[in-house]
Amino acid sequence: MDSKKNAKKIIKRAKPEKSKEEPLVLQTLRGMKDILPSDQPYWEQVRRISERLSRDYGFLRLDTPIVEFSNLFTRSIGEGTDIVEKEMYTFITRGGDKVALRPELTAGNCRSFIQNGMNVLSKPVKIFSTGPVYRYDRPQEGRYREHFQVNFDAFGEQDPILDAQMIQIAHRIIQTLGIKSVQMQVNSIGCQVCRKDYKELLVNYLESKKSKLCQDCKRRMDTNPLRVLDCKEDKCSQVAALAPQSVDHLCEECRTHFKTLLEYLDELDLPYIINPHLVRGLDYYTKTVFEIWSSAEEGKKLSLGGGGRYDKLIKMMGGEDTPAIGFAFGVERVIAEMKRVQAKPYKIPRPKVFLAQLGNLAKKKSLRLFSELEKNGILTAESFGRGSLKSQLRIANKLGVEFTLILGQKESLDGTVIVKNMTTGAQETVSMDKLVDLIKKKLKADNVVVYHN
Ligand code: HAM
């Protein structure tokens, strides 16, 4: 009886809203945008390069849901951070759960690592993930409410060699994408022990300069004093310039860790800048933090990617003590930089063959023939909706294909196809069952790359 009542209630609640009162707004939400076909070659390039390098460096792909319990993010990213304080898309579900759209990928990866017992896998467990993330920030250039990240996390290794390898991967991805000039910024913000002393020192210093800080930073002094160091306001930068630096106040272990990391980077010939003001906007970091900055002129500089160690996060979430490190790129920002430096996007393969048909029987047969060509890796274009040969040949010409296959009434009955060389204009009639081999041979002879490369 009760469950029937509940079911009724749910059905009643799930009724769609009346569309009468609200006009249909045919627009993406502010800070969100479509990725149009014309932009896809850039996206494809980023996907291909990052996926390939993730495999080369031994990463396994993990996809987690876009929606998680909101306290997964508030606890890991930190209550005093901008992301949690101002930027989370949080809502209550119909079932009463407090959930949020993920503002980043690492918290979900850690949840999945613990939930799925990945601690038994051989270490380091290297995880690659990519997808959209959501931050309700004020939209501006390079800052969106929906953006995509390419994310690398590695669990179970505290040796700084992994920090160096992560920075190397980040650098390699960017270089492979054709962005040759970037700045690798590194810093160490210490562990929970030495950071506590450093924070005290920093707060004391900031107290003495309080009147010179912006309103936000005055508040940050209590909630997240390290963030004062990377405030973009001029007056705060001036205060930050003379502030005590975390690298000068590291404990022995953190100092050795950072020094060894720098030695590895030197060994790799990987240029870096030690930036004592680099603190990152998420609370879970310990020891190494790093960012990759574009070489765009000052003021327009945005970080293309960033990350660091988070050795205490898995334990804080309730898992086994597991050191970890990771980083993420913002795909939109990387693509904007690719365009700025005129890096090449992915060249989407174009069809080299056009299939033209004439008459009802040919039209019927052409569907199967097209599929035969596709199965054999021959990228073919068609315009099945058109009847006239002239208009089909016009399209073939426009596409710049090498060959047009013409299937007319006679050919359909004979089991043949006319192969027209579009450069020379020469035509030959070929038996249908020899067609695929012949086209493959011809394309190979012309050194044409077929679709399935
Ligand atoms: P994050 O620095 O907050 O780090 O974001 C990574 C990258 O995402 C940034 O460097 C930037 O390129 C891009 N990004 C951030 N916010 C926006 C936005 N509103 N619009 C466009 N692009 C944006 C993280 O999210 C960490 N989870 C990275 C990490 C992985 N740390 C350890 N593992």
Side-chain angles (χ1 to χ4, degrees), residues 353-357 362-384 405 407 417 432 435-436 440 451-452:
V353 173
F354 188 91
L355 173 57
Q357 34 72 40
K363 192 167 177 175
K364 266 186 207 151
K365 295 220 170 206
S366 58
L367 216 47
R368 185 186 294 274
L369 180 57
F370 183 92
S371 151
E372 214 43 51
L373 292 161
E374 181 276 319
K375 279 183 203 154
N376 280 281
I378 300 166
L379 185 61
T380 307
E382 44 72 24
S383 182
F384 288 152
L405 313 178
L407 191 60
V417 185
M432 190 83 91
L435 178 73
V436 165
K440 272 187 177 171
Y451 185 49
H452 299 291

PDB file of all heavy atoms in Angstrom, residues 353-357 362-384 405 407 417 432 435-436 440 451-452:
ATOM      1  N   VAL A 353      37.590   8.570 -52.250  1.00  0.00           N
ATOM      2  CA  VAL A 353      36.722   7.895 -53.218  1.00  0.00           C
ATOM      3  C   VAL A 353      35.307   8.452 -53.069  1.00  0.00           C
ATOM      4  O   VAL A 353      34.878   8.765 -51.950  1.00  0.00           O
ATOM      5  CB  VAL A 353      36.720   6.366 -52.935  1.00  0.00           C
ATOM      6  CG1 VAL A 353      35.709   5.648 -53.812  1.00  0.00           C
ATOM      7  CG2 VAL A 353      38.111   5.788 -53.130  1.00  0.00           C
ATOM      8  N   PHE A 354      34.604   8.622 -54.188  1.00  0.00           N
ATOM      9  CA  PHE A 354      33.197   9.043 -54.138  1.00  0.00           C
ATOM     10  C   PHE A 354      32.366   7.973 -54.823  1.00  0.00           C
ATOM     11  O   PHE A 354      32.749   7.459 -55.873  1.00  0.00           O
ATOM     12  CB  PHE A 354      33.023  10.384 -54.861  1.00  0.00           C
ATOM     13  CG  PHE A 354      31.654  10.959 -54.686  1.00  0.00           C
ATOM     14  CD1 PHE A 354      31.367  11.820 -53.645  1.00  0.00           C
ATOM     15  CD2 PHE A 354      30.626  10.630 -55.573  1.00  0.00           C
ATOM     16  CE1 PHE A 354      30.092  12.357 -53.467  1.00  0.00           C
ATOM     17  CE2 PHE A 354      29.348  11.147 -55.404  1.00  0.00           C
ATOM     18  CZ  PHE A 354      29.071  12.010 -54.352  1.00  0.00           C
ATOM     19  N   LEU A 355      31.274   7.611 -54.197  1.00  0.00           N
ATOM     20  CA  LEU A 355      30.395   6.593 -54.788  1.00  0.00           C
ATOM     21  C   LEU A 355      29.149   7.276 -55.361  1.00  0.00           C
ATOM     22  O   LEU A 355      28.335   7.836 -54.618  1.00  0.00           O
ATOM     23  CB  LEU A 355      30.001   5.554 -53.711  1.00  0.00           C
ATOM     24  CG  LEU A 355      28.973   4.519 -54.102  1.00  0.00           C
ATOM     25  CD1 LEU A 355      29.418   3.718 -55.341  1.00  0.00           C
ATOM     26  CD2 LEU A 355      28.721   3.540 -52.944  1.00  0.00           C
ATOM     27  N   ALA A 356      29.027   7.239 -56.694  1.00  0.00           N
ATOM     28  CA  ALA A 356      27.862   7.862 -57.348  1.00  0.00           C
ATOM     29  C   ALA A 356      26.932   6.759 -57.851  1.00  0.00           C
ATOM     30  O   ALA A 356      27.394   5.704 -58.295  1.00  0.00           O
ATOM     31  CB  ALA A 356      28.339   8.728 -58.509  1.00  0.00           C
ATOM     32  N   GLN A 357      25.630   6.996 -57.773  1.00  0.00           N
ATOM     33  CA  GLN A 357      24.672   5.981 -58.218  1.00  0.00           C
ATOM     34  C   GLN A 357      23.612   6.633 -59.115  1.00  0.00           C
ATOM     35  O   GLN A 357      23.306   7.824 -58.984  1.00  0.00           O
ATOM     36  CB  GLN A 357      24.034   5.256 -57.009  1.00  0.00           C
ATOM     37  CG  GLN A 357      23.815   6.107 -55.766  1.00  0.00           C
ATOM     38  CD  GLN A 357      22.711   7.115 -55.898  1.00  0.00           C
ATOM     39  OE1 GLN A 357      21.662   6.805 -56.483  1.00  0.00           O
ATOM     40  NE2 GLN A 357      22.898   8.307 -55.380  1.00  0.00           N
ATOM     41  N   ALA A 362      20.521   0.766 -58.743  1.00  0.00           N
ATOM     42  CA  ALA A 362      21.870   1.178 -58.329  1.00  0.00           C
ATOM     43  C   ALA A 362      21.823   1.813 -56.942  1.00  0.00           C
ATOM     44  O   ALA A 362      22.691   1.573 -56.103  1.00  0.00           O
ATOM     45  CB  ALA A 362      22.437   2.173 -59.332  1.00  0.00           C
ATOM     46  N   LYS A 363      20.791   2.589 -56.721  1.00  0.00           N
ATOM     47  CA  LYS A 363      20.650   3.255 -55.425  1.00  0.00           C
ATOM     48  C   LYS A 363      20.575   2.218 -54.303  1.00  0.00           C
ATOM     49  O   LYS A 363      21.238   2.331 -53.278  1.00  0.00           O
ATOM     50  CB  LYS A 363      19.391   4.125 -55.448  1.00  0.00           C
ATOM     51  CG  LYS A 363      19.290   5.070 -54.279  1.00  0.00           C
ATOM     52  CD  LYS A 363      18.211   6.076 -54.537  1.00  0.00           C
ATOM     53  CE  LYS A 363      18.038   6.998 -53.359  1.00  0.00           C
ATOM     54  NZ  LYS A 363      17.095   8.048 -53.615  1.00  0.00           N
ATOM     55  N   LYS A 364      19.769   1.167 -54.577  1.00  0.00           N
ATOM     56  CA  LYS A 364      19.616   0.096 -53.589  1.00  0.00           C
ATOM     57  C   LYS A 364      20.954  -0.591 -53.339  1.00  0.00           C
ATOM     58  O   LYS A 364      21.324  -0.858 -52.214  1.00  0.00           O
ATOM     59  CB  LYS A 364      18.607  -0.946 -54.105  1.00  0.00           C
ATOM     60  CG  LYS A 364      17.207  -0.678 -53.617  1.00  0.00           C
ATOM     61  CD  LYS A 364      16.289  -1.794 -54.029  1.00  0.00           C
ATOM     62  CE  LYS A 364      14.877  -1.246 -54.142  1.00  0.00           C
ATOM     63  NZ  LYS A 364      14.082  -1.965 -55.118  1.00  0.00           N
ATOM     64  N   LYS A 365      21.671  -0.888 -54.398  1.00  0.00           N
ATOM     65  CA  LYS A 365      22.941  -1.634 -54.278  1.00  0.00           C
ATOM     66  C   LYS A 365      24.049  -0.781 -53.645  1.00  0.00           C
ATOM     67  O   LYS A 365      24.981  -1.304 -53.053  1.00  0.00           O
ATOM     68  CB  LYS A 365      23.404  -2.091 -55.670  1.00  0.00           C
ATOM     69  CG  LYS A 365      22.452  -3.090 -56.287  1.00  0.00           C
ATOM     70  CD  LYS A 365      23.181  -4.175 -57.005  1.00  0.00           C
ATOM     71  CE  LYS A 365      22.170  -5.242 -57.372  1.00  0.00           C
ATOM     72  NZ  LYS A 365      22.676  -6.536 -57.531  1.00  0.00           N
ATOM     73  N   SER A 366      23.932   0.533 -53.831  1.00  0.00           N
ATOM     74  CA  SER A 366      25.038   1.379 -53.391  1.00  0.00           C
ATOM     75  C   SER A 366      25.199   1.379 -51.870  1.00  0.00           C
ATOM     76  O   SER A 366      26.312   1.543 -51.364  1.00  0.00           O
ATOM     77  CB  SER A 366      24.858   2.801 -53.912  1.00  0.00           C
ATOM     78  OG  SER A 366      23.640   3.302 -53.457  1.00  0.00           O
ATOM     79  N   LEU A 367      24.096   1.172 -51.158  1.00  0.00           N
ATOM     80  CA  LEU A 367      24.178   1.159 -49.696  1.00  0.00           C
ATOM     81  C   LEU A 367      25.104   0.036 -49.225  1.00  0.00           C
ATOM     82  O   LEU A 367      25.951   0.221 -48.347  1.00  0.00           O
ATOM     83  CB  LEU A 367      22.769   0.955 -49.142  1.00  0.00           C
ATOM     84  CG  LEU A 367      22.395   1.674 -47.853  1.00  0.00           C
ATOM     85  CD1 LEU A 367      22.797   3.123 -47.853  1.00  0.00           C
ATOM     86  CD2 LEU A 367      20.906   1.536 -47.601  1.00  0.00           C
ATOM     87  N   ARG A 368      24.926  -1.152 -49.848  1.00  0.00           N
ATOM     88  CA  ARG A 368      25.754  -2.295 -49.472  1.00  0.00           C
ATOM     89  C   ARG A 368      27.217  -2.075 -49.922  1.00  0.00           C
ATOM     90  O   ARG A 368      28.148  -2.379 -49.184  1.00  0.00           O
ATOM     91  CB  ARG A 368      25.199  -3.583 -50.112  1.00  0.00           C
ATOM     92  CG  ARG A 368      25.965  -4.824 -49.654  1.00  0.00           C
ATOM     93  CD  ARG A 368      25.492  -6.035 -50.409  1.00  0.00           C
ATOM     94  NE  ARG A 368      24.107  -6.367 -50.082  1.00  0.00           N
ATOM     95  CZ  ARG A 368      23.759  -7.130 -49.043  1.00  0.00           C
ATOM     96  NH1 ARG A 368      24.679  -7.638 -48.276  1.00  0.00           N
ATOM     97  NH2 ARG A 368      22.494  -7.390 -48.812  1.00  0.00           N
ATOM     98  N   LEU A 369      27.365  -1.528 -51.115  1.00  0.00           N
ATOM     99  CA  LEU A 369      28.717  -1.305 -51.635  1.00  0.00           C
ATOM    100  C   LEU A 369      29.482  -0.323 -50.742  1.00  0.00           C
ATOM    101  O   LEU A 369      30.659  -0.515 -50.435  1.00  0.00           O
ATOM    102  CB  LEU A 369      28.640  -0.776 -53.079  1.00  0.00           C
ATOM    103  CG  LEU A 369      29.982  -0.490 -53.748  1.00  0.00           C
ATOM    104  CD1 LEU A 369      30.883  -1.721 -53.757  1.00  0.00           C
ATOM    105  CD2 LEU A 369      29.771  -0.008 -55.188  1.00  0.00           C
ATOM    106  N   PHE A 370      28.779   0.714 -50.312  1.00  0.00           N
ATOM    107  CA  PHE A 370      29.407   1.703 -49.422  1.00  0.00           C
ATOM    108  C   PHE A 370      29.928   1.009 -48.154  1.00  0.00           C
ATOM    109  O   PHE A 370      31.055   1.228 -47.713  1.00  0.00           O
ATOM    110  CB  PHE A 370      28.401   2.796 -49.036  1.00  0.00           C
ATOM    111  CG  PHE A 370      28.997   3.878 -48.181  1.00  0.00           C
ATOM    112  CD1 PHE A 370      29.530   5.018 -48.758  1.00  0.00           C
ATOM    113  CD2 PHE A 370      29.053   3.748 -46.799  1.00  0.00           C
ATOM    114  CE1 PHE A 370      30.104   6.014 -47.973  1.00  0.00           C
ATOM    115  CE2 PHE A 370      29.630   4.726 -46.016  1.00  0.00           C
ATOM    116  CZ  PHE A 370      30.149   5.865 -46.593  1.00  0.00           C
ATOM    117  N   SER A 371      29.068   0.135 -47.617  1.00  0.00           N
ATOM    118  CA  SER A 371      29.434  -0.542 -46.378  1.00  0.00           C
ATOM    119  C   SER A 371      30.633  -1.475 -46.606  1.00  0.00           C
ATOM    120  O   SER A 371      31.502  -1.618 -45.742  1.00  0.00           O
ATOM    121  CB  SER A 371      28.207  -1.287 -45.857  1.00  0.00           C
ATOM    122  OG  SER A 371      28.582  -2.395 -45.138  1.00  0.00           O
ATOM    123  N   GLU A 372      30.689  -2.092 -47.786  1.00  0.00           N
ATOM    124  CA  GLU A 372      31.812  -2.967 -48.137  1.00  0.00           C
ATOM    125  C   GLU A 372      33.124  -2.165 -48.172  1.00  0.00           C
ATOM    126  O   GLU A 372      34.140  -2.603 -47.638  1.00  0.00           O
ATOM    127  CB  GLU A 372      31.517  -3.557 -49.541  1.00  0.00           C
ATOM    128  CG  GLU A 372      31.997  -4.959 -49.801  1.00  0.00           C
ATOM    129  CD  GLU A 372      31.746  -5.917 -48.633  1.00  0.00           C
ATOM    130  OE1 GLU A 372      30.593  -6.015 -48.114  1.00  0.00           O
ATOM    131  OE2 GLU A 372      32.734  -6.531 -48.235  1.00  0.00           O
ATOM    132  N   LEU A 373      33.056  -0.993 -48.776  1.00  0.00           N
ATOM    133  CA  LEU A 373      34.243  -0.139 -48.853  1.00  0.00           C
ATOM    134  C   LEU A 373      34.672   0.300 -47.449  1.00  0.00           C
ATOM    135  O   LEU A 373      35.850   0.259 -47.100  1.00  0.00           O
ATOM    136  CB  LEU A 373      33.943   1.099 -49.719  1.00  0.00           C
ATOM    137  CG  LEU A 373      33.713   0.813 -51.209  1.00  0.00           C
ATOM    138  CD1 LEU A 373      32.991   1.976 -51.885  1.00  0.00           C
ATOM    139  CD2 LEU A 373      35.028   0.531 -51.927  1.00  0.00           C
ATOM    140  N   GLU A 374      33.684   0.664 -46.643  1.00  0.00           N
ATOM    141  CA  GLU A 374      33.969   1.125 -45.265  1.00  0.00           C
ATOM    142  C   GLU A 374      34.625   0.019 -44.451  1.00  0.00           C
ATOM    143  O   GLU A 374      35.615   0.230 -43.757  1.00  0.00           O
ATOM    144  CB  GLU A 374      32.667   1.601 -44.611  1.00  0.00           C
ATOM    145  CG  GLU A 374      32.804   2.132 -43.198  1.00  0.00           C
ATOM    146  CD  GLU A 374      32.794   1.047 -42.139  1.00  0.00           C
ATOM    147  OE1 GLU A 374      31.997   0.087 -42.244  1.00  0.00           O
ATOM    148  OE2 GLU A 374      33.598   1.151 -41.204  1.00  0.00           O
ATOM    149  N   LYS A 375      34.070  -1.214 -44.577  1.00  0.00           N
ATOM    150  CA  LYS A 375      34.630  -2.352 -43.821  1.00  0.00           C
ATOM    151  C   LYS A 375      36.075  -2.597 -44.219  1.00  0.00           C
ATOM    152  O   LYS A 375      36.853  -3.107 -43.443  1.00  0.00           O
ATOM    153  CB  LYS A 375      33.816  -3.614 -44.107  1.00  0.00           C
ATOM    154  CG  LYS A 375      32.544  -3.704 -43.301  1.00  0.00           C
ATOM    155  CD  LYS A 375      31.861  -5.016 -43.595  1.00  0.00           C
ATOM    156  CE  LYS A 375      30.375  -4.930 -43.286  1.00  0.00           C
ATOM    157  NZ  LYS A 375      29.602  -5.869 -44.083  1.00  0.00           N
ATOM    158  N   ASN A 376      36.415  -2.259 -45.449  1.00  0.00           N
ATOM    159  CA  ASN A 376      37.781  -2.478 -45.920  1.00  0.00           C
ATOM    160  C   ASN A 376      38.686  -1.258 -45.715  1.00  0.00           C
ATOM    161  O   ASN A 376      39.777  -1.188 -46.273  1.00  0.00           O
ATOM    162  CB  ASN A 376      37.761  -2.883 -47.399  1.00  0.00           C
ATOM    163  CG  ASN A 376      37.411  -4.353 -47.534  1.00  0.00           C
ATOM    164  OD1 ASN A 376      38.261  -5.217 -47.335  1.00  0.00           O
ATOM    165  ND2 ASN A 376      36.157  -4.650 -47.813  1.00  0.00           N
ATOM    166  N   GLY A 377      38.189  -0.326 -44.962  1.00  0.00           N
ATOM    167  CA  GLY A 377      39.030   0.821 -44.588  1.00  0.00           C
ATOM    168  C   GLY A 377      39.185   1.868 -45.680  1.00  0.00           C
ATOM    169  O   GLY A 377      40.121   2.666 -45.634  1.00  0.00           O
ATOM    170  N   ILE A 378      38.284   1.849 -46.659  1.00  0.00           N
ATOM    171  CA  ILE A 378      38.386   2.858 -47.729  1.00  0.00           C
ATOM    172  C   ILE A 378      37.381   3.962 -47.423  1.00  0.00           C
ATOM    173  O   ILE A 378      36.160   3.753 -47.504  1.00  0.00           O
ATOM    174  CB  ILE A 378      38.104   2.235 -49.111  1.00  0.00           C
ATOM    175  CG1 ILE A 378      39.138   1.118 -49.383  1.00  0.00           C
ATOM    176  CG2 ILE A 378      38.131   3.292 -50.203  1.00  0.00           C
ATOM    177  CD1 ILE A 378      38.793   0.219 -50.539  1.00  0.00           C
ATOM    178  N   LEU A 379      37.898   5.124 -47.043  1.00  0.00           N
ATOM    179  CA  LEU A 379      37.011   6.230 -46.668  1.00  0.00           C
ATOM    180  C   LEU A 379      36.334   6.777 -47.924  1.00  0.00           C
ATOM    181  O   LEU A 379      37.002   7.249 -48.843  1.00  0.00           O
ATOM    182  CB  LEU A 379      37.826   7.315 -45.970  1.00  0.00           C
ATOM    183  CG  LEU A 379      37.034   8.475 -45.405  1.00  0.00           C
ATOM    184  CD1 LEU A 379      36.042   8.019 -44.354  1.00  0.00           C
ATOM    185  CD2 LEU A 379      37.973   9.509 -44.789  1.00  0.00           C
ATOM    186  N   THR A 380      35.005   6.665 -47.962  1.00  0.00           N
ATOM    187  CA  THR A 380      34.254   6.978 -49.172  1.00  0.00           C
ATOM    188  C   THR A 380      33.214   8.052 -48.877  1.00  0.00           C
ATOM    189  O   THR A 380      32.619   8.063 -47.805  1.00  0.00           O
ATOM    190  CB  THR A 380      33.545   5.695 -49.674  1.00  0.00           C
ATOM    191  OG1 THR A 380      34.540   4.667 -49.788  1.00  0.00           O
ATOM    192  CG2 THR A 380      32.869   5.889 -51.014  1.00  0.00           C
ATOM    193  N   ALA A 381      32.996   8.934 -49.832  1.00  0.00           N
ATOM    194  CA  ALA A 381      31.928   9.927 -49.682  1.00  0.00           C
ATOM    195  C   ALA A 381      30.790   9.545 -50.620  1.00  0.00           C
ATOM    196  O   ALA A 381      30.983   8.776 -51.572  1.00  0.00           O
ATOM    197  CB  ALA A 381      32.452  11.306 -50.034  1.00  0.00           C
ATOM    198  N   GLU A 382      29.611  10.036 -50.349  1.00  0.00           N
ATOM    199  CA  GLU A 382      28.452   9.750 -51.207  1.00  0.00           C
ATOM    200  C   GLU A 382      27.470  10.886 -51.087  1.00  0.00           C
ATOM    201  O   GLU A 382      27.608  11.736 -50.196  1.00  0.00           O
ATOM    202  CB  GLU A 382      27.810   8.414 -50.819  1.00  0.00           C
ATOM    203  CG  GLU A 382      27.639   8.161 -49.320  1.00  0.00           C
ATOM    204  CD  GLU A 382      26.580   8.966 -48.650  1.00  0.00           C
ATOM    205  OE1 GLU A 382      25.637   9.412 -49.349  1.00  0.00           O
ATOM    206  OE2 GLU A 382      26.655   9.163 -47.422  1.00  0.00           O
ATOM    207  N   SER A 383      26.469  10.858 -51.966  1.00  0.00           N
ATOM    208  CA  SER A 383      25.360  11.783 -51.830  1.00  0.00           C
ATOM    209  C   SER A 383      24.115  11.045 -52.306  1.00  0.00           C
ATOM    210  O   SER A 383      23.585  11.320 -53.380  1.00  0.00           O
ATOM    211  CB  SER A 383      25.646  13.027 -52.674  1.00  0.00           C
ATOM    212  OG  SER A 383      24.602  13.936 -52.513  1.00  0.00           O
ATOM    213  N   PHE A 384      23.740  10.059 -51.496  1.00  0.00           N
ATOM    214  CA  PHE A 384      22.690   9.119 -51.898  1.00  0.00           C
ATOM    215  C   PHE A 384      21.369   9.799 -52.252  1.00  0.00           C
ATOM    216  O   PHE A 384      20.582   9.278 -53.022  1.00  0.00           O
ATOM    217  CB  PHE A 384      22.446   8.080 -50.790  1.00  0.00           C
ATOM    218  CG  PHE A 384      23.560   7.077 -50.660  1.00  0.00           C
ATOM    219  CD1 PHE A 384      23.818   6.470 -49.433  1.00  0.00           C
ATOM    220  CD2 PHE A 384      24.341   6.729 -51.752  1.00  0.00           C
ATOM    221  CE1 PHE A 384      24.825   5.537 -49.304  1.00  0.00           C
ATOM    222  CE2 PHE A 384      25.364   5.794 -51.633  1.00  0.00           C
ATOM    223  CZ  PHE A 384      25.613   5.204 -50.409  1.00  0.00           C
ATOM    224  N   LEU A 405      33.393   6.185 -58.149  1.00  0.00           N
ATOM    225  CA  LEU A 405      32.828   4.897 -58.574  1.00  0.00           C
ATOM    226  C   LEU A 405      31.417   5.182 -59.072  1.00  0.00           C
ATOM    227  O   LEU A 405      30.632   5.820 -58.352  1.00  0.00           O
ATOM    228  CB  LEU A 405      32.772   3.922 -57.397  1.00  0.00           C
ATOM    229  CG  LEU A 405      34.049   3.826 -56.556  1.00  0.00           C
ATOM    230  CD1 LEU A 405      33.850   2.858 -55.395  1.00  0.00           C
ATOM    231  CD2 LEU A 405      35.211   3.368 -57.423  1.00  0.00           C
ATOM    232  N   LEU A 407      27.872   3.676 -60.309  1.00  0.00           N
ATOM    233  CA  LEU A 407      27.028   2.487 -60.346  1.00  0.00           C
ATOM    234  C   LEU A 407      25.707   2.880 -61.009  1.00  0.00           C
ATOM    235  O   LEU A 407      24.902   3.604 -60.412  1.00  0.00           O
ATOM    236  CB  LEU A 407      26.799   2.022 -58.899  1.00  0.00           C
ATOM    237  CG  LEU A 407      26.176   0.665 -58.662  1.00  0.00           C
ATOM    238  CD1 LEU A 407      27.021  -0.451 -59.255  1.00  0.00           C
ATOM    239  CD2 LEU A 407      26.003   0.420 -57.161  1.00  0.00           C
ATOM    240  N   VAL A 417      31.210  -2.072 -61.752  1.00  0.00           N
ATOM    241  CA  VAL A 417      31.245  -0.655 -61.339  1.00  0.00           C
ATOM    242  C   VAL A 417      32.208   0.074 -62.277  1.00  0.00           C
ATOM    243  O   VAL A 417      33.215  -0.505 -62.686  1.00  0.00           O
ATOM    244  CB  VAL A 417      31.808  -0.502 -59.903  1.00  0.00           C
ATOM    245  CG1 VAL A 417      31.721   0.948 -59.434  1.00  0.00           C
ATOM    246  CG2 VAL A 417      31.109  -1.400 -58.923  1.00  0.00           C
ATOM    247  N   MET A 432      32.436  -6.165 -59.630  1.00  0.00           N
ATOM    248  CA  MET A 432      32.149  -5.727 -58.252  1.00  0.00           C
ATOM    249  C   MET A 432      33.031  -6.445 -57.223  1.00  0.00           C
ATOM    250  O   MET A 432      33.509  -5.854 -56.271  1.00  0.00           O
ATOM    251  CB  MET A 432      30.665  -6.008 -57.972  1.00  0.00           C
ATOM    252  CG  MET A 432      30.130  -5.422 -56.728  1.00  0.00           C
ATOM    253  SD  MET A 432      29.663  -3.718 -56.961  1.00  0.00           S
ATOM    254  CE  MET A 432      27.964  -3.862 -57.431  1.00  0.00           C
ATOM    255  N   LEU A 435      36.519  -5.024 -56.935  1.00  0.00           N
ATOM    256  CA  LEU A 435      36.606  -3.579 -56.751  1.00  0.00           C
ATOM    257  C   LEU A 435      37.464  -3.158 -55.549  1.00  0.00           C
ATOM    258  O   LEU A 435      38.366  -2.331 -55.678  1.00  0.00           O
ATOM    259  CB  LEU A 435      35.193  -2.989 -56.611  1.00  0.00           C
ATOM    260  CG  LEU A 435      35.177  -1.488 -56.372  1.00  0.00           C
ATOM    261  CD1 LEU A 435      35.541  -0.747 -57.647  1.00  0.00           C
ATOM    262  CD2 LEU A 435      33.817  -1.009 -55.880  1.00  0.00           C
ATOM    263  N   VAL A 436      37.175  -3.769 -54.387  1.00  0.00           N
ATOM    264  CA  VAL A 436      37.866  -3.351 -53.166  1.00  0.00           C
ATOM    265  C   VAL A 436      39.379  -3.493 -53.330  1.00  0.00           C
ATOM    266  O   VAL A 436      40.144  -2.559 -53.037  1.00  0.00           O
ATOM    267  CB  VAL A 436      37.344  -4.164 -51.957  1.00  0.00           C
ATOM    268  CG1 VAL A 436      38.272  -4.041 -50.766  1.00  0.00           C
ATOM    269  CG2 VAL A 436      35.940  -3.693 -51.579  1.00  0.00           C
ATOM    270  N   LYS A 440      42.116  -0.462 -53.376  1.00  0.00           N
ATOM    271  CA  LYS A 440      43.195  -0.460 -52.374  1.00  0.00           C
ATOM    272  C   LYS A 440      44.537  -0.331 -53.070  1.00  0.00           C
ATOM    273  O   LYS A 440      45.388   0.450 -52.653  1.00  0.00           O
ATOM    274  CB  LYS A 440      43.159  -1.769 -51.580  1.00  0.00           C
ATOM    275  CG  LYS A 440      42.251  -1.725 -50.374  1.00  0.00           C
ATOM    276  CD  LYS A 440      42.435  -2.995 -49.569  1.00  0.00           C
ATOM    277  CE  LYS A 440      41.612  -2.976 -48.313  1.00  0.00           C
ATOM    278  NZ  LYS A 440      41.625  -4.285 -47.661  1.00  0.00           N
ATOM    279  N   TYR A 451      41.590   5.439 -44.535  1.00  0.00           N
ATOM    280  CA  TYR A 451      40.977   5.902 -43.294  1.00  0.00           C
ATOM    281  C   TYR A 451      41.550   5.248 -42.023  1.00  0.00           C
ATOM    282  O   TYR A 451      41.964   5.913 -41.095  1.00  0.00           O
ATOM    283  CB  TYR A 451      39.491   5.632 -43.393  1.00  0.00           C
ATOM    284  CG  TYR A 451      38.682   6.148 -42.231  1.00  0.00           C
ATOM    285  CD1 TYR A 451      38.842   7.455 -41.792  1.00  0.00           C
ATOM    286  CD2 TYR A 451      37.782   5.336 -41.595  1.00  0.00           C
ATOM    287  CE1 TYR A 451      38.094   7.926 -40.738  1.00  0.00           C
ATOM    288  CE2 TYR A 451      37.024   5.802 -40.542  1.00  0.00           C
ATOM    289  CZ  TYR A 451      37.201   7.100 -40.125  1.00  0.00           C
ATOM    290  OH  TYR A 451      36.460   7.548 -39.076  1.00  0.00           O
ATOM    291  N   HIS A 452      41.602   3.926 -42.002  1.00  0.00           N
ATOM    292  CA  HIS A 452      42.011   3.241 -40.754  1.00  0.00           C
ATOM    293  C   HIS A 452      43.521   3.192 -40.648  1.00  0.00           C
ATOM    294  O   HIS A 452      44.121   2.178 -40.901  1.00  0.00           O
ATOM    295  CB  HIS A 452      41.419   1.832 -40.717  1.00  0.00           C
ATOM    296  CG  HIS A 452      39.928   1.852 -40.731  1.00  0.00           C
ATOM    297  ND1 HIS A 452      39.191   2.303 -39.665  1.00  0.00           N
ATOM    298  CD2 HIS A 452      39.030   1.518 -41.682  1.00  0.00           C
ATOM    299  CE1 HIS A 452      37.908   2.234 -39.956  1.00  0.00           C
ATOM    300  NE2 HIS A 452      37.799   1.754 -41.169  1.00  0.00           N
TER     301      HIS A 452
END
